[in-house]
């Protein structure tokens, strides 16, 4: 089973609420369909409305669900359009090409994008919970510990440089398993979800919402991200967007509203889960779990965040996850956003 993330409709400054994530079981959406006309739309919107126009990159609709629930984008002084992706790899392809102005991702995908010469800056931090990802196996699997993965194949989603790869490598090191003792294959989440549901996959390293869905379909946790992953996510903006005064101001407004959305969700967890399940058509129990441990709170980037991400960068370079070390301070602009007004 897989998630269908349809092309997002164009939103003027006063957006309307729509259902946007169809029930699992539909085919996955490719990047070309998601981004069709995005750059042209931004140019036309800016010219016709006199407002800055942002294309907001999202993964599996997580950010959009938060804003739809909190309604904190209502009345924003800029035009926007959502561009949704099933994982960080296609999202950062769009970021690299300038087809989206902002993106959201976990720690390692941001670093991988920087290695890939994506012209970006980290402009905000989001804080989640490390048990929102993990390694899952079939409920009746003979695999009982990470050590049992020796000689096995593990599917990692979404691509090289994902938070799931970092989590898997950390779990293998913890268990004393050499990476060459495990066959690792990279498959995008919706494709892997279909294979896992049909029991073609024995072990899958994955993140929410796919992680929770796999568990509710009878999967079992072999090892979650606690003690391995930072649970930090980041909002990035393209260098081109930050260099445009109107777009830079719109990004600050966007981040202000993201912070308020997070505050609303933390104070209204059940209401957030109810809206999330209406929008995604996922079962309410899955929605409660996903929203309860999602990276909701947004804050300005701190020195502690930079240090934590630098640790991930150094370890990833050491382990060969990344081909080179990333200087986190060099890809961070903590001056863009100082916090919600």
């Amino acid at each position: 089973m897989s998630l269908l993330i349809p092309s997002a409709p164009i939103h003027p400054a006063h957006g309307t609420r729509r259902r946007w994530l169809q029930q699992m079981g539909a085919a996955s959406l490719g990047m070309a369909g998601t981004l069709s006309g995005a750059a042209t739309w931004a140019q036309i919107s800016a010219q016709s409305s006199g407002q800055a126009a942002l294309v907001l990159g999202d993964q599996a609709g997580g950010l959009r669900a938060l804003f739809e629930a909190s309604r904190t984008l209502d009345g924003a002084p800029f035009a926007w359009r959502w561009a949704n992706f099933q994982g960080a790899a296609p999202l950062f392809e769009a970021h690299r090409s300038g087809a989206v102005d902002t993106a959201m991702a976990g720690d390692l995908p941001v670093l991988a994008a920087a290695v890939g010469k994506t012209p970006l800056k980290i402009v905000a931090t989001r804080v989640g919970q490390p048990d929102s990802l993990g390694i899952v196996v079939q409920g009746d699997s003979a695999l009982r510990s990470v050590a049992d993965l020796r000689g096995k194949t593990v599917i990692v989603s979404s691509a090289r440089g994902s938070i799931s790869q970092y989590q898997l490598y950390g779990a293998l090191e913890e268990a004393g398993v050499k990476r060459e003792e495990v066959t690792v294959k990279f498959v995008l989440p919706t494709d892997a979800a279909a294979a896992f549901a049909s029991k073609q996959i024995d072990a899958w390293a994955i993140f929410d919402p796919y992680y929770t869905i796999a568990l509710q379909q009878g999967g079992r946790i072999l090892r979650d991200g606690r003690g391995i992953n930072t649970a930090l996510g980041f909002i990035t903006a393209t260098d081109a967007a930050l260099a445009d005064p109107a777009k830079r101001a719109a990004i600050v407004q966007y981040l202000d509203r993201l912070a308020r959305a997070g505050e609303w969700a933390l104070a209204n967890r059940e209401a957030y889960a109810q809206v999330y399940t209406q929008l995604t058509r996922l079962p309410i129990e899955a929605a409660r779990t996903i929203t309860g441990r999602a990276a909701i709170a947004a804050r300005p980037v701190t020195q502690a965040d930079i240090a934590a991400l630098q640790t991930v960068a150094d370890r990833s370079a050491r382990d060969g996850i990344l081909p080179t070390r990333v200087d986190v301070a060099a890809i961070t602009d903590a001056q863009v956003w100082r916090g919600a007004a």
Side-chain angles (χ1 to χ4, degrees):
M1 301 177 77
S2 60
L3 292 169
L4 172 63
I5 307 170
S7 298
I10 294 172
H11 285 264
H14 295 277
T16 58
R17 186 178 189 146
R18 296 187 185 184
R19 292 177 180 264
W20 52 272
L21 192 64
Q22 302 298 324
Q23 191 170 13
M24 293 186 307
S28 62
L29 177 71
M31 189 177 76
T34 304
L35 292 178
S36 177
T40 302
W41 166 83
Q43 295 167 356
I44 293 173
S45 294
Q47 292 169 359
S48 63
S49 68
Q51 297 176 317
L54 297 179
V55 181
L56 306 173
D58 197 4
Q59 286 193 57
L63 277 179
R64 186 171 178 180
L66 179 60
F67 278 114
E68 291 281 351
S70 65
R71 306 193 69 85
T72 54
L73 272 182
D74 288 6
F78 57 90
W80 76 91
R81 176 176 178 169
W82 291 106
N84 295 305
F85 301 85
Q86 59 175 299
L91 170 55
F92 279 116
E93 283 186 47
H95 214 8
R96 185 178 302 112
S97 70
V100 300
D101 296 304
T102 67
M104 59 81 68
D107 46 24
L108 187 54
V110 172
L111 297 172
V115 169
K117 305 302 182 184
T118 301
L120 61 78
K121 290 293 187 295
I122 296 169
V123 294
T125 301
R126 303 185 77 209
V127 183
Q129 296 184 24
D131 60 346
S132 63
L133 77 165
I135 305 166
V136 294
V137 297
Q138 301 294 340
D140 57 358
S141 173
L143 302 173
R144 293 291 167 180
S145 70
V146 174
D148 293 336
L149 293 176
R150 284 189 179 90
K152 305 297 183 182
T153 296
V154 180
I155 300 300
V156 169
S157 293
S158 64
R160 294 182 185 276
S162 72
I163 54 175
S164 297
Q165 184 183 13
Y166 187 81
Q167 198 269 340
L168 172 63
Y169 282 21
L172 293 176
E173 181 178 7
E174 177 186 72
V177 179
K178 296 179 180 179
R179 292 194 302 279
E180 55 268 28
E181 294 181 289
V182 176
T183 300
V184 178
K185 295 184 178 180
F186 299 90
V187 180
L188 285 172
T190 54
D191 296 327
F196 188 84
S198 61
K199 296 196 173 184
Q200 298 176 49
I201 291 176
D202 292 323
W204 184 23
I206 186 56
F207 47 84
D208 269 340
Y210 311 98
Y211 178 57
T212 293
I213 294 166
L215 295 175
Q216 296 213 338
Q217 290 175 341
R220 174 166 48 81
I221 299 171
L222 200 63
R223 176 69 165 89
D224 66 22
R226 286 177 289 188
I228 298 174
N229 283 74
T230 66
L232 295 179
F234 298 94
I235 301 294
T236 61
T238 63
D239 288 347
L242 293 175
D244 180 320
K247 282 196 172 187
R248 186 183 181 98
I251 288 169
V252 172
Q253 280 279 342
Y254 167 62
L255 296 174
D256 283 348
R257 291 163 186 271
L258 175 59
R260 291 200 291 271
E263 291 169 0
W264 178 89
L266 291 171
N268 299 274
R269 288 190 177 275
E270 181 61 20
Y272 178 30
Q274 291 290 341
V275 172
Y276 186 90
T277 198
Q278 291 169 17
L279 294 171
T280 63
R281 300 183 185 177
L282 291 174
I284 184 59
E285 288 305 320
R288 288 183 180 125
T289 299
I290 292 165
T291 59
R293 61 191 181 194
I296 295 173
R299 69 181 187 214
V301 183
T302 67
Q303 287 301 313
D305 297 335
I306 294 173
L309 187 55
Q310 191 63 63
T311 297
V312 174
D314 294 345
R315 179 173 173 177
S316 297
R318 179 202 71 184
D319 292 347
I321 299 175
L322 297 177
T324 186
R325 179 181 182 273
V326 175
D327 180 356
V328 174
I331 62 167
T332 301
D333 189 340
Q335 305 305 310
V336 173
W337 184 58
R338 301 295 188 88

